[in-house]
Amino acid sequence: ERMPLDLDQLREHSDHLLQWTGYRLALEPDETPWRDFSYLTPADLADPDIVANVAAMKQVMAFIAFVAVHEDGSYLGYWLGPDRRSLDDSPIVRLDNEGQFALVGRSLAGALLTEFYDDEERFDELDGWFKTLGLTASMDGVTDANSPRELHHRLAAER
């Protein structure tokens, strides 16, 4: 499958993207920091709730094509969902550094802008940069009956 336009454009400007947003692109198949649960202690691994949560997270992550890593340990990716939508038809999901999933945009550029919604100057600068690249950063809300957050909660509760 071809790369979505905004991802392809941002790939060409990855150094600038990192500088502006704190996100670096993670497009190599063997680069999967979101799958690293080595921080869990033996006590964590003995807790059935933590084990169920991690198992549910892994199941949800199987439906995400992650493409960006933030310096704070958050990740952005395309929510393919259980239907396995194409990248172009997939909204962007954020997995934060506390293990919470959220749909954050209809495009990667839009999702990146949401990170600066409360900082008008940075927001405008980033939006301007996107426009120079020919990207429109839609900030439209995203809904999905099978959202990653709902799926995660459902799977964790089933265990």
Side-chain angles (χ1 to χ4, degrees):
E1 187 172 355
R2 73 172 180 75
M3 195 175 291
L5 176 64
D6 59 350
L7 179 57
D8 191 42
Q9 281 286 81
L10 292 171
R11 183 176 52 95
E12 294 178 25
H13 302 278
S14 59
D15 290 341
H16 202 74
L17 177 70
L18 177 61
Q19 186 178 27
W20 277 73
T21 67
Y23 276 97
R24 68 178 175 74
L25 297 180
L27 302 175
E28 297 300 320
D30 60 341
E31 185 177 14
T32 58
W34 43 87
R35 290 193 176 125
D36 180 11
F37 291 94
S38 64
Y39 60 86
L40 294 173
T41 67
D44 292 335
L45 296 172
D47 183 326
D49 290 335
I50 292 175
V51 170
N53 182 55
V54 169
M57 287 180 69
K58 288 178 179 179
Q59 284 183 276
V60 172
M61 286 190 274
F63 300 122
I64 301 171
F66 286 105
V67 295
V69 178
H70 193 270
E71 54 200 16
D72 75 356
S74 298
Y75 311 104
L76 292 176
Y78 292 88
W79 174 240
L80 308 172
D83 301 344
R84 299 286 185 184
R85 287 180 287 253
S86 71
L87 291 175
D88 282 330
D89 294 332
S90 296
I92 304 300
V93 61
R94 181 175 191 257
L95 173 59
D96 71 20
N97 57 13
E98 296 194 9
Q100 301 298 311
F101 296 94
L103 293 174
V104 292
R106 296 207 174 278
S107 67
L108 186 56
L112 288 163
L113 270 180
T114 65
E115 300 280 321
F116 300 99
Y117 191 73
D118 293 333
D119 184 341
E120 187 175 342
E121 183 178 337
R122 295 272 303 170
F123 181 95
D124 290 343
E125 289 173 353
L126 186 59
D127 190 39
W129 180 57
F130 287 154
K131 286 177 181 165
T132 66
L133 298 177
L135 302 177
T136 38
S138 171
M139 298 284 292
D140 294 342
V142 179
T143 58
D144 187 334
N146 291 312
S147 78
R149 178 179 302 195
E150 296 303 318
L151 181 59
H152 175 237
H153 290 298
R154 189 171 65 244
L155 292 170
E158 289 174 0
R159 297 205 173 264

